[in-house]
Amino acid sequence: MLRFIPIPAQAGISGFESPAAEYTQSALNLDELLIDHPSATYLGYAEGESMVGEGIFSGDLLVISRFEKVKDQDVVVANLNGVFVCKKIDKRRAMLLSAAPGRAPYHIREGDDFQIEGVVIRSIRLHRPLVKSI
Amino acid sequence: MYALCDANSMYASCEKIFDPSIRDKPVVVLTNNDGCICAACHIAKRLGIDKKFVPYFKVKEDLERAGAVIRSSNYELYADISQRMMDVCSRYAPNSHIYSIDEVFHDYQGWMPPEGWFKHAWAIRRAVWQEVRLPIGVGIGPTLTLAKAANHAAKRIPGYRGVAVIDDETSRRYVLQNMELTDVWGIGSRLARRLQALGVDTVWKLANANPGWIRKNFSVLVEGTVYELSGIAKLGWDDVRAPKKEIYSIRSFGQRIFTPADLLQALTQHAGIAAAKLRRQNSLAGTAIIFATSSPHDARGYYRKYITHRFAVPTQDTTVIANACRQAVQAIYRPGVPFYRCGVGLIDLSEKAAFQHDLFTPSADNPELMACMDAINVKYGRDTAHIAGQGIRQKFAMRRQFLSPQYTTRLSDIPRVKC
């Protein structure tokens, strides 16, 4: 039996390929820009005005990384006796520093339950409230 | 060499990550509908209040007396933390295989860490603790069964503190001599009793038994275990039987996948495999985790995305699970990402026989209806016809009295930080 294989007629002229067809560029993405290590990064809300000197206001979004090595004077999120706090860490003097006038530093004492949870690598001001959920 | 990394009391440990006030308290997690205890942290275990699968109402007073913190199952949180753990672990090996929500195997394919196996295992454990704040155990060995044995040693045999390596005769002997038969992978209590009756009453004796004699008296599977315990690899991924409590179907692709259609096809296939396993063991799944990732070793950067899908009614129907995949692909797919691995995990399993029907949410498991509905949706667009229950948030249908916030997957639930 004769096998018939249909071949579409072609003139063989295809012109130039569009250079744009070679790769697809995906749109800009804030996650990629702001988050270096997704598995080690969390979001939090700032509550309170003690860090305004660092530009962190109540209601701002904090991007917190557990990946970063903690350096002296970093803005960190720590567990202090069962509460998450955002402060600057003074490693030499074992103190938590605020960044607002009239706020005393906190000396970490023997018996305090204290662990650094992560470094605040970015903070985001919400000039208009969020309408989306993740 | 192979490694097995698994989390210590996964669910209870997840609850402690974002709630520092309960970190040094006994924490127990309840199954769906707050029915029974399904997980407990080590503090709760020390107090002896970790009665697995005992109805909550029966032990309510005991728990209160012990000052226990009760939590409903927060699968959205656990699935997210699980993904993070898997991401970190898979950085450390050329090839990894997710086995369950809190267990991942590494296949090193002949690669050797320059710093040695022990330091390598420590590095994995430290990284997962630092980056995810999840405590894990790491066991390394020359076969899957020995990796599992080393993992058991890491967590249970005093002195190992979370990491164990079987890489010579001394370490193999020490670990196997400190295990019970039922601690060996694939040896259940009935099999252990039969082995004991024939004089094979320790793991060490089993490892040194004559394989032919074992095959004659037991099975090819147990013979394989003998070889594996003596350091000769017999098991591949496909022989690795899924644990009863959850079922995962995952594959890496031979070629990278670039289109949503291909991704959906792959996921649907996984849905079919996982659902078939589910039906074989007569279980129903309450929740599916559907995910896809690029390779952690790709130059373009790592992409991963997953969806936690709670079924309105626990299901074992392939089409119901496949439908969940179809919805998930929309959220998972991204143009330009070379997808390397995808899979479906069914968690939150319950016995079909024990399933209590809900007056207001009838089961969606109906193969004929499913086929018809799919046909309609293909012709007239997605969700033209769908189950009413699909739109109803699980929260109203389920008792989740002690649910913690979904700290990492819902914007309204992210942790508050005091300034």
Side-chain angles (χ1 to χ4, degrees):
Chain A
M1 184 186 146
L2 182 71
R3 296 274 304 277
F4 176 70
I5 303 167
I7 299 172
Q10 273 189 330
I13 303 164
S14 59
F16 294 107
E17 284 245 336
S18 158
E22 289 201 9
Y23 53 92
T24 42
Q25 178 87 29
S26 50
L28 278 181
N29 173 312
L30 277 180
D31 270 19
E32 279 170 25
L33 189 67
L34 301 175
I35 297 175
D36 313 313
H37 302 282
S39 309
T41 306
Y42 302 94
L43 296 176
Y45 277 119
E47 281 188 341
E49 301 289 350
S50 75
M51 295 301 285
V52 294
E54 290 288 332
I56 297 172
F57 296 81
S58 200
D60 285 3
L61 269 179
L62 304 175
V63 182
I64 305 148
S65 170
R66 299 184 58 95
F67 188 90
E68 301 292 324
K69 207 169 156 20
V70 180
K71 299 198 297 286
D72 191 39
Q73 305 297 314
D74 266 340
V75 176
V76 298
V77 168
N79 163 31
L80 180 60
N81 298 325
V83 178
F84 285 142
V85 297
C86 171
K87 295 285 175 220
K88 274 173 76 173
I89 181 88
D90 186 321
K91 287 173 86 166
R92 274 183 315 106
R93 292 178 295 173
M95 288 198 309
L96 296 174
L97 311 175
S98 291
R103 307 261 185 160
Y106 180 89
H107 290 266
I108 299 160
R109 290 184 294 260
E110 195 69 39
D112 269 343
D113 183 14
F114 177 79
Q115 298 97 31
I116 292 181
E117 297 291 328
V119 176
V120 177
I121 53 168
R122 326 269 187 268
S123 69
I124 300 162
R125 298 238 53 208
L126 307 172
H127 295 276
R128 293 242 180 126
L130 297 166
V131 287
K132 270 193 175 166
S133 59
I134 295 178
Chain B
M1 292 289 262
Y2 297 95
L4 171 60
C5 314
D6 76 337
N8 308 348
S9 329
M10 171 82 178
Y11 293 176
S13 298
C14 287
E15 293 291 344
K16 294 188 178 201
I17 296 174
F18 295 102
D19 189 350
S21 68
I22 64 168
R23 285 180 184 175
D24 40 22
K25 294 201 174 95
V27 172
V28 299
V29 178
L30 305 178
T31 55
N32 242 344
N33 278 326
D34 295 343
C36 310
I37 295 177
C38 68
C41 72
H42 68 282
I43 300 169
K45 283 175 182 157
R46 255 207 323 267
L47 294 172
I49 49 171
D50 57 326
K51 300 191 177 54
K52 276 258 168 94
F53 302 107
V54 171
Y56 167 61
F57 70 86
K58 282 192 180 166
V59 286
K60 199 166 167 230
E61 274 81 27
D62 298 349
L63 292 171
E64 271 168 23
R65 262 198 302 279
V69 176
I70 317 289
R71 290 280 184 262
S72 307
S73 297
N74 186 344
Y75 290 112
E76 288 80 359
L77 175 66
Y78 310 151
D80 183 73
I81 300 300
S82 165
Q83 289 283 330
R84 290 167 184 258
M85 167 189 160
M86 301 305 168
D87 287 352
V88 176
C89 286
S90 64
R91 284 209 306 261
Y92 286 85
N95 194 1
S96 55
H97 181 86
I98 297 169
Y99 180 58
S100 74
I101 196 164
D102 63 345
E103 297 169 288
V104 57
F105 279 102
H106 287 172
D107 175 358
Y108 288 99
Q109 299 168 321
W111 179 81
M112 300 269 286
E115 72 276 23
W117 288 111
F118 197 77
K119 279 192 170 147
H120 174 81
W122 266 111
I124 302 174
R125 186 168 192 260
R126 201 170 38 237
V128 175
W129 176 253
Q130 190 199 317
E131 295 176 40
V132 190
R133 211 195 167 278
L134 195 64
I136 65 165
V138 180
I140 293 183
T143 67
L144 288 170
T145 307
L146 285 174
K148 182 103 175 153
N151 178 282
H152 171 86
K155 295 204 298 194
R156 301 267 185 280
I157 300 177
Y160 278 109
R161 301 190 9 252
V163 167
V165 179
I166 294 178
D167 57 351
D168 59 13
E169 198 48 24
T170 318
S171 52
R172 185 174 74 94
R173 177 189 284 260
Y174 184 79
V175 169
L176 295 186
Q177 286 183 336
N178 280 282
M179 286 171 76
E180 302 289 323
L181 276 172
T182 47
D183 295 333
V184 175
W185 206 14
I187 309 279
S189 52
R190 268 184 50 221
L191 193 50
R193 276 200 298 276
R194 281 181 51 216
L195 282 162
Q196 281 159 347
L198 289 182
V200 186
D201 53 358
T202 67
V203 177
W204 189 241
K205 279 185 188 167
L206 179 64
N208 293 299
N210 176 317
W213 181 82
I214 290 281
R215 187 180 55 224
K216 217 167 60 222
N217 284 282
F218 297 94
S219 70
V220 174
L221 279 174
V222 186
E223 182 197 27
T225 302
V226 172
Y227 277 118
E228 287 253 322
L229 287 172
S230 59
I232 301 158
K234 287 280 173 195
L235 282 176
W237 296 137
D238 293 334
D239 313 314
V240 174
R241 275 164 302 167
K244 274 280 205 182
K245 57 188 168 50
E246 40 193 73
I247 293 170
Y248 269 72
S249 174
I250 296 163
R251 270 280 177 280
S252 306
F253 309 121
Q255 293 169 315
R256 301 288 192 266
I257 277 185
F258 283 96
T259 71
D262 285 349
L263 188 59
L264 175 59
Q265 207 168 30
L267 282 170
T268 308
Q269 207 175 359
H270 288 303
I273 294 165
K277 283 184 186 170
L278 194 63
R279 289 192 293 271
R280 262 203 300 279
Q281 67 174 52
N282 268 320
S283 302
L284 298 166
T287 303
I289 299 167
I290 303 159
F291 66 94
T293 73
S294 67
S295 165
H297 307 290
D298 269 357
R300 305 186 30 146
Y302 185 51
Y303 174 83
R304 55 148 185 144
K305 183 88 189 172
Y306 69 92
I307 293 294
T308 317
H309 186 105
R310 282 176 182 268
F311 298 107
V313 180
T315 182
Q316 56 168 204
D317 187 316
T318 300
T319 51
V320 174
I321 300 165
N323 256 337
C325 292
R326 184 171 315 145
Q327 286 175 48
V329 163
Q330 307 243 337
I332 292 172
Y333 176 74
R334 267 204 33 217
V337 171
F339 285 101
Y340 159 79
R341 177 190 289 148
C342 79
V344 174
L346 299 175
I347 57 170
D348 176 17
L349 304 189
S350 52
E351 291 301 304
K352 187 165 196 273
F355 178 64
Q356 298 219 335
H357 284 276
D358 184 329
L359 185 60
F360 302 104
T361 8
S363 169
D365 286 22
N366 177 337
E368 299 90 342
L369 177 65
M370 283 295 141
C372 170
M373 189 173 88
D374 283 348
I376 291 169
N377 288 340
V378 166
K379 195 167 175 185
Y380 297 104
R382 209 174 67 88
D383 278 353
T384 305
H386 66 78
I387 318 146
Q390 186 180 297
I392 297 167
R393 286 296 297 268
Q394 270 283 295
K395 282 181 91 157
F396 307 115
M398 252 212 301
R399 271 173 68 120
R400 291 157 83 190
Q401 211 187 321
F402 313 103
L403 187 64
S404 54
Q406 289 161 19
Y407 296 105
T408 54
T409 52
R410 271 174 72 177
L411 207 43
S412 53
D413 285 1
I414 65 176
R416 302 285 191 263
V417 182
K418 211 165 149 287
C419 286

